[in-house]
mmCIF file of all heavy atoms in Angstrom:
data_model
loop_
_atom_site.group_PDB
_atom_site.id
_atom_site.type_symbol
_atom_site.label_atom_id
_atom_site.label_comp_id
_atom_site.label_asym_id
_atom_site.label_seq_id
_atom_site.Cartn_x
_atom_site.Cartn_y
_atom_site.Cartn_z
ATOM 1 N N THR A 157 -4.895 1.744 -15.491
ATOM 2 C CA THR A 157 -5.472 2.167 -14.224
ATOM 3 C C THR A 157 -4.675 3.305 -13.602
ATOM 4 O O THR A 157 -5.253 4.264 -13.075
ATOM 5 C CB THR A 157 -5.512 0.988 -13.230
ATOM 6 O OG1 THR A 157 -6.274 -0.056 -13.809
ATOM 7 C CG2 THR A 157 -6.134 1.387 -11.904
ATOM 8 N N HIS A 290 2.015 -7.665 -6.632
ATOM 9 C CA HIS A 290 2.486 -8.368 -7.823
ATOM 10 C C HIS A 290 2.742 -7.408 -8.981
ATOM 11 O O HIS A 290 3.161 -7.830 -10.051
ATOM 12 C CB HIS A 290 1.467 -9.428 -8.228
ATOM 13 C CG HIS A 290 1.171 -10.388 -7.107
ATOM 14 N ND1 HIS A 290 2.089 -11.302 -6.657
ATOM 15 C CD2 HIS A 290 0.084 -10.538 -6.310
ATOM 16 C CE1 HIS A 290 1.569 -11.980 -5.644
ATOM 17 N NE2 HIS A 290 0.356 -11.536 -5.409
ATOM 18 N N HIS A 298 5.432 1.613 -2.934
ATOM 19 C CA HIS A 298 5.525 0.875 -1.668
ATOM 20 C C HIS A 298 6.819 1.222 -0.936
ATOM 21 O O HIS A 298 6.835 1.366 0.300
ATOM 22 C CB HIS A 298 5.442 -0.623 -1.936
ATOM 23 C CG HIS A 298 4.088 -1.064 -2.411
ATOM 24 N ND1 HIS A 298 3.851 -2.246 -3.040
ATOM 25 C CD2 HIS A 298 2.894 -0.431 -2.356
ATOM 26 C CE1 HIS A 298 2.554 -2.343 -3.338
ATOM 27 N NE2 HIS A 298 1.969 -1.243 -2.940
ATOM 28 N N LYS A 302 7.076 2.737 2.817
ATOM 29 C CA LYS A 302 7.928 2.168 3.858
ATOM 30 C C LYS A 302 8.852 3.230 4.459
ATOM 31 O O LYS A 302 9.210 3.166 5.619
ATOM 32 C CB LYS A 302 8.787 1.034 3.272
ATOM 33 C CG LYS A 302 8.004 -0.243 2.989
ATOM 34 C CD LYS A 302 8.945 -1.280 2.378
ATOM 35 C CE LYS A 302 8.236 -2.591 2.109
ATOM 36 N NZ LYS A 302 9.124 -3.557 1.443
ATOM 37 N N GLU A 309 -5.369 6.806 -0.636
ATOM 38 C CA GLU A 309 -6.403 6.032 -1.320
ATOM 39 C C GLU A 309 -7.338 6.931 -2.115
ATOM 40 O O GLU A 309 -7.894 6.510 -3.099
ATOM 41 C CB GLU A 309 -7.243 5.270 -0.294
ATOM 42 C CG GLU A 309 -6.528 4.102 0.327
ATOM 43 C CD GLU A 309 -7.452 3.335 1.247
ATOM 44 O OE1 GLU A 309 -7.771 3.874 2.327
ATOM 45 O OE2 GLU A 309 -7.874 2.228 0.878
ATOM 46 N N ASP A 313 -7.502 12.420 0.844
ATOM 47 C CA ASP A 313 -6.435 12.106 1.800
ATOM 48 C C ASP A 313 -5.299 13.125 1.689
ATOM 49 O O ASP A 313 -4.659 13.467 2.693
ATOM 50 C CB ASP A 313 -5.815 10.720 1.494
ATOM 51 C CG ASP A 313 -6.758 9.566 1.768
ATOM 52 O OD1 ASP A 313 -7.783 9.789 2.424
ATOM 53 O OD2 ASP A 313 -6.453 8.443 1.317
ATOM 54 N N PHE A 353 -11.020 -7.596 -8.376
ATOM 55 C CA PHE A 353 -10.095 -7.302 -9.453
ATOM 56 C C PHE A 353 -9.408 -8.551 -9.951
ATOM 57 O O PHE A 353 -8.366 -8.495 -10.581
ATOM 58 C CB PHE A 353 -9.133 -6.202 -9.009
ATOM 59 C CG PHE A 353 -9.911 -4.938 -8.798
ATOM 60 C CD1 PHE A 353 -10.538 -4.696 -7.606
ATOM 61 C CD2 PHE A 353 -10.102 -4.060 -9.848
ATOM 62 C CE1 PHE A 353 -11.307 -3.562 -7.433
ATOM 63 C CE2 PHE A 353 -10.865 -2.928 -9.676
ATOM 64 C CZ PHE A 353 -11.470 -2.670 -8.478
ATOM 65 N N GLU A 354 -10.024 -9.688 -9.677
ATOM 66 C CA GLU A 354 -9.516 -10.954 -10.165
ATOM 67 C C GLU A 354 -10.723 -11.719 -10.695
ATOM 68 O O GLU A 354 -11.792 -11.615 -10.140
ATOM 69 C CB GLU A 354 -8.889 -11.752 -9.011
ATOM 70 C CG GLU A 354 -7.785 -11.038 -8.273
ATOM 71 C CD GLU A 354 -6.544 -10.821 -9.107
ATOM 72 O OE1 GLU A 354 -6.399 -11.529 -10.128
ATOM 73 O OE2 GLU A 354 -5.741 -9.945 -8.766
ATOM 74 N N ARG A 364 -20.430 -14.921 -2.592
ATOM 75 C CA ARG A 364 -20.012 -13.644 -2.031
ATOM 76 C C ARG A 364 -21.165 -12.652 -1.863
ATOM 77 O O ARG A 364 -21.137 -11.815 -0.971
ATOM 78 C CB ARG A 364 -18.953 -12.986 -2.932
ATOM 79 C CG ARG A 364 -17.624 -13.718 -2.885
ATOM 80 C CD ARG A 364 -16.583 -12.957 -3.700
ATOM 81 N NE ARG A 364 -15.368 -13.755 -3.806
ATOM 82 C CZ ARG A 364 -14.433 -13.551 -4.730
ATOM 83 N NH1 ARG A 364 -14.563 -12.571 -5.607
ATOM 84 N NH2 ARG A 364 -13.368 -14.306 -4.775
ATOM 85 N N ARG A 392 -15.147 -18.143 -15.974
ATOM 86 C CA ARG A 392 -14.904 -17.038 -15.054
ATOM 87 C C ARG A 392 -15.234 -15.698 -15.709
ATOM 88 O O ARG A 392 -15.314 -15.595 -16.929
ATOM 89 C CB ARG A 392 -13.444 -17.065 -14.597
ATOM 90 C CG ARG A 392 -13.197 -18.320 -13.760
ATOM 91 C CD ARG A 392 -11.865 -18.273 -13.097
ATOM 92 N NE ARG A 392 -10.796 -18.296 -14.081
ATOM 93 C CZ ARG A 392 -9.515 -18.279 -13.757
ATOM 94 N NH1 ARG A 392 -9.164 -18.227 -12.494
ATOM 95 N NH2 ARG A 392 -8.595 -18.325 -14.685
ATOM 96 N N ILE A 396 -13.546 -5.232 -16.285
ATOM 97 C CA ILE A 396 -12.764 -4.398 -17.200
ATOM 98 C C ILE A 396 -12.688 -2.994 -16.582
ATOM 99 O O ILE A 396 -13.717 -2.383 -16.340
ATOM 100 C CB ILE A 396 -13.412 -4.334 -18.588
ATOM 101 C CG1 ILE A 396 -13.501 -5.747 -19.173
ATOM 102 C CG2 ILE A 396 -12.621 -3.411 -19.516
ATOM 103 C CD1 ILE A 396 -14.180 -5.801 -20.523
ATOM 104 N N PRO A 397 -11.482 -2.539 -16.293
ATOM 105 C CA PRO A 397 -11.380 -1.242 -15.605
ATOM 106 C C PRO A 397 -11.872 -0.111 -16.503
ATOM 107 O O PRO A 397 -11.764 -0.184 -17.712
ATOM 108 C CB PRO A 397 -9.878 -1.083 -15.347
ATOM 109 C CG PRO A 397 -9.250 -2.385 -15.697
ATOM 110 C CD PRO A 397 -10.184 -3.111 -16.613
ATOM 111 N N PRO B 203 -11.912 -13.641 0.447
ATOM 112 C CA PRO B 203 -10.828 -12.908 -0.221
ATOM 113 C C PRO B 203 -10.903 -13.070 -1.736
ATOM 114 O O PRO B 203 -11.690 -13.878 -2.238
ATOM 115 C CB PRO B 203 -9.588 -13.618 0.310
ATOM 116 C CG PRO B 203 -10.033 -15.022 0.545
ATOM 117 C CD PRO B 203 -11.464 -14.925 1.008
ATOM 118 N N THR B 206 -6.359 -13.898 -5.633
ATOM 119 C CA THR B 206 -4.980 -13.444 -5.420
ATOM 120 C C THR B 206 -4.644 -13.353 -3.936
ATOM 121 O O THR B 206 -3.567 -13.752 -3.507
ATOM 122 C CB THR B 206 -4.773 -12.049 -6.058
ATOM 123 O OG1 THR B 206 -5.041 -12.161 -7.446
ATOM 124 C CG2 THR B 206 -3.349 -11.567 -5.868
ATOM 125 N N HIS B 339 -8.656 0.601 -5.791
ATOM 126 C CA HIS B 339 -10.009 0.336 -6.267
ATOM 127 C C HIS B 339 -10.571 -0.963 -5.674
ATOM 128 O O HIS B 339 -11.703 -1.325 -5.955
ATOM 129 C CB HIS B 339 -10.020 0.276 -7.787
ATOM 130 C CG HIS B 339 -9.458 1.527 -8.415
ATOM 131 N ND1 HIS B 339 -10.120 2.735 -8.332
ATOM 132 C CD2 HIS B 339 -8.303 1.779 -9.062
ATOM 133 C CE1 HIS B 339 -9.382 3.667 -8.933
ATOM 134 N NE2 HIS B 339 -8.280 3.106 -9.374
ATOM 135 N N HIS B 347 -4.928 -0.833 3.987
ATOM 136 C CA HIS B 347 -4.443 0.541 3.813
ATOM 137 C C HIS B 347 -4.666 1.356 5.082
ATOM 138 O O HIS B 347 -3.820 2.158 5.484
ATOM 139 C CB HIS B 347 -5.128 1.195 2.612
ATOM 140 C CG HIS B 347 -4.725 0.578 1.307
ATOM 141 N ND1 HIS B 347 -5.442 0.743 0.149
ATOM 142 C CD2 HIS B 347 -3.664 -0.202 0.978
ATOM 143 C CE1 HIS B 347 -4.844 0.082 -0.830
ATOM 144 N NE2 HIS B 347 -3.766 -0.495 -0.344
ATOM 145 N N LYS B 351 -1.816 3.245 7.215
ATOM 146 C CA LYS B 351 -1.906 4.660 7.605
ATOM 147 C C LYS B 351 -1.715 4.831 9.107
ATOM 148 O O LYS B 351 -1.218 5.843 9.572
ATOM 149 C CB LYS B 351 -3.280 5.232 7.216
ATOM 150 C CG LYS B 351 -3.443 5.466 5.721
ATOM 151 C CD LYS B 351 -4.850 5.992 5.452
ATOM 152 C CE LYS B 351 -5.059 6.292 3.985
ATOM 153 N NZ LYS B 351 -6.444 6.722 3.713
ATOM 154 N N GLU B 358 5.619 -6.304 1.153
ATOM 155 C CA GLU B 358 5.552 -6.751 -0.239
ATOM 156 C C GLU B 358 5.985 -8.190 -0.398
ATOM 157 O O GLU B 358 5.539 -8.880 -1.295
ATOM 158 C CB GLU B 358 6.474 -5.879 -1.102
ATOM 159 C CG GLU B 358 5.958 -4.492 -1.330
ATOM 160 C CD GLU B 358 6.869 -3.726 -2.256
ATOM 161 O OE1 GLU B 358 7.994 -3.396 -1.820
ATOM 162 O OE2 GLU B 358 6.481 -3.481 -3.408
ATOM 163 N N ASP B 362 10.153 -9.308 4.118
ATOM 164 C CA ASP B 362 9.946 -8.034 4.818
ATOM 165 C C ASP B 362 9.530 -8.277 6.270
ATOM 166 O O ASP B 362 9.901 -7.513 7.174
ATOM 167 C CB ASP B 362 8.808 -7.221 4.168
ATOM 168 C CG ASP B 362 9.160 -6.701 2.790
ATOM 169 O OD1 ASP B 362 10.345 -6.754 2.424
ATOM 170 O OD2 ASP B 362 8.236 -6.246 2.075
ATOM 171 N N PHE B 402 -1.444 -5.856 -14.369
ATOM 172 C CA PHE B 402 -2.653 -6.414 -13.803
ATOM 173 C C PHE B 402 -3.889 -5.744 -14.350
ATOM 174 O O PHE B 402 -4.953 -5.794 -13.770
ATOM 175 C CB PHE B 402 -2.554 -6.395 -12.280
ATOM 176 C CG PHE B 402 -1.451 -7.294 -11.850
ATOM 177 C CD1 PHE B 402 -0.146 -6.840 -11.845
ATOM 178 C CD2 PHE B 402 -1.688 -8.624 -11.601
ATOM 179 C CE1 PHE B 402 0.895 -7.707 -11.532
ATOM 180 C CE2 PHE B 402 -0.672 -9.489 -11.283
ATOM 181 C CZ PHE B 402 0.623 -9.024 -11.248
ATOM 182 N N GLU B 403 -3.730 -5.127 -15.524
ATOM 183 C CA GLU B 403 -4.851 -4.516 -16.201
ATOM 184 C C GLU B 403 -4.722 -4.920 -17.666
ATOM 185 O O GLU B 403 -3.624 -5.011 -18.185
ATOM 186 C CB GLU B 403 -4.769 -2.985 -16.103
ATOM 187 C CG GLU B 403 -4.707 -2.456 -14.687
ATOM 188 C CD GLU B 403 -5.989 -2.674 -13.916
ATOM 189 O OE1 GLU B 403 -7.034 -2.912 -14.551
ATOM 190 O OE2 GLU B 403 -5.945 -2.623 -12.675
ATOM 191 N N ARG B 441 -7.830 -6.557 -26.389
ATOM 192 C CA ARG B 441 -6.964 -6.496 -25.228
ATOM 193 C C ARG B 441 -6.701 -7.883 -24.651
ATOM 194 O O ARG B 441 -7.445 -8.830 -24.919
ATOM 195 C CB ARG B 441 -7.594 -5.591 -24.173
ATOM 196 C CG ARG B 441 -7.660 -4.149 -24.672
ATOM 197 C CD ARG B 441 -8.054 -3.198 -23.588
ATOM 198 N NE ARG B 441 -9.410 -3.486 -23.148
ATOM 199 C CZ ARG B 441 -10.011 -2.791 -22.185
ATOM 200 N NH1 ARG B 441 -9.385 -1.803 -21.599
ATOM 201 N NH2 ARG B 441 -11.249 -3.074 -21.840
ATOM 202 N N ILE B 445 -4.311 -13.869 -16.228
ATOM 203 C CA ILE B 445 -5.109 -14.708 -15.329
ATOM 204 C C ILE B 445 -4.221 -15.115 -14.160
ATOM 205 O O ILE B 445 -3.188 -15.737 -14.370
ATOM 206 C CB ILE B 445 -5.638 -15.954 -16.062
ATOM 207 C CG1 ILE B 445 -6.516 -15.527 -17.233
ATOM 208 C CG2 ILE B 445 -6.400 -16.844 -15.096
ATOM 209 C CD1 ILE B 445 -7.046 -16.680 -18.042
ATOM 210 N N PRO B 446 -4.606 -14.717 -12.973
ATOM 211 C CA PRO B 446 -3.705 -14.996 -11.819
ATOM 212 C C PRO B 446 -3.598 -16.501 -11.572
ATOM 213 O O PRO B 446 -4.522 -17.243 -11.819
ATOM 214 C CB PRO B 446 -4.397 -14.322 -10.649
ATOM 215 C CG PRO B 446 -5.526 -13.537 -11.216
ATOM 216 C CD PRO B 446 -5.839 -14.078 -12.561
#
Side-chain angles (χ1 to χ4, degrees):
Chain A
T157 301
H290 305 291
H298 291 162
K302 286 179 178 176
E309 288 184 288
D313 291 347
F353 294 85
E354 303 293 341
R364 289 185 188 162
R392 294 190 295 181
I396 300 177
Chain B
T206 300
H339 304 291
H347 292 162
K351 287 178 178 177
E358 287 184 290
D362 292 347
F402 295 83
E403 303 293 341
R441 295 189 295 180
I445 300 178

